[in-house]
Amino acid sequence: DAGVTQSPTHLIKTRGQQVTLRCSPKSGHDTVSWYQQALGQGPQFIFQYYEEEERQRGNFPDRFSGHQFPNYSSELNVNALLLGDSALYLCASSLTGTDQPQHFGDGTRLSIL
Amino acid sequence: AQSVTQLGSHVSVSEGALVLLRCNYSSSVPPYLFWYVQYPNQGLQLLLKYTSAATLVKGINGFEAEFKKSETSFHLTKPSAHMSDAAEYFCAVSDKNNAGNMLTFGGGTRLMVKP
């Protein structure tokens, strides 16, 4: 049973570019969340998707957007990249419900030059 | 808004010694609580969760945590540290009143195990 898979594993971009990160949830999960983890810090919640709609959003600018597809997979898009966007981007999936634990992928390491 | 405090960004113990990693949350309504472990260049792995059942929760790899409402704490312990326990540990909470299960994380504690 495959867990949460993310692609690509590493990515290098320059300031001002746009990037798309992809996530496939664990089998049976219908909820996908995205987190940003800067070096040496805990993950910060970006947003969560359920039934192809954004259900919750953290304190991130509109440059960060997402999508969930009918097969529950998800994309994270970041426009107008800044140096400060360099981080590990983690995708997590779960069943819906506030008590449901989230299962994380290994992340995409994004470096902005 | 929820907040999570992990006292001690770095904790060092000897192999075989007790491991104690501290976590306190700020919420008038006790949230759901989780501990995750992160090994280098990997994602987060769930160690254990508290979701309003028994206050002493047992997890994987010999870890356990006790929920204490009066102290707003959810400290993680392990009786005897192994070298393989060296990693970053994160405490996280999920607000019961939210529509979803977004997690708020603490800053993390790096556990070092000396031979």
Side-chain angles (χ1 to χ4, degrees), chain A residues 10-113:
Chain A
H10 295 84
L11 205 50
I12 299 175
K13 292 286 187 178
T14 57
R15 283 178 295 174
Q17 285 188 313
Q18 177 265 344
V19 68
T20 298
L21 310 182
R22 296 176 174 80
C23 173
S24 293
K26 185 177 179 179
S27 178
H29 287 181
D30 56 9
T31 301
V32 174
S33 303
W34 287 91
Y35 294 82
Q36 180 194 67
Q37 186 179 22
L39 202 60
Q41 297 183 22
Q44 298 288 316
F45 176 74
I46 303 175
F47 42 55
Q48 182 175 88
Y49 278 84
Y50 172 68
E51 293 187 339
E52 302 180 49
E53 297 286 336
E54 183 182 287
R55 179 162 65 180
Q56 284 182 295
R57 188 178 183 92
N59 188 27
F60 278 80
D62 292 345
R63 298 187 298 108
F64 290 77
S65 63
H67 190 76
Q68 185 179 35
F69 299 94
N71 67 352
Y72 307 118
S73 67
S74 177
E75 288 181 350
L76 164 65
N77 300 293
V78 186
N79 293 323
L81 287 166
L82 305 173
L83 292 178
D85 295 332
S86 294
L88 180 67
Y89 288 84
L90 295 164
C91 174
S93 72
S94 68
L95 296 171
T96 192
T98 56
D99 63 336
Q100 294 298 314
Q102 297 191 20
H103 297 256
F104 286 80
D106 285 340
T108 294
R109 173 73 62 186
L110 177 62
S111 300
I112 311 301
L113 303 180

Side-chain angles (χ1 to χ4, degrees), chain A residues 31 35 37 40-43 45 48 55-56 88 90 94-95 97-102 104-106, chain B residues 32 34 36 38 41-44 46 49 51 90 94-96 98-103 105-107:
Chain A
T31 301
Y35 294 82
Q37 186 179 22
Q41 297 183 22
F45 176 74
Q48 182 175 88
R55 179 162 65 180
Q56 284 182 295
L88 180 67
L90 295 164
S94 68
L95 296 171
T98 56
D99 63 336
Q100 294 298 314
Q102 297 191 20
F104 286 80
D106 285 340
Chain B
Y32 298 121
F34 306 85
Y36 285 87
Q38 186 176 33
N41 300 315
Q42 292 186 24
L44 281 69
L46 179 68
K49 63 178 182 177
T51 55
F90 292 97
S94 173
D95 189 336
K96 293 178 181 177
N98 280 341
N101 60 345
M102 64 164 279
L103 293 172
F105 285 87

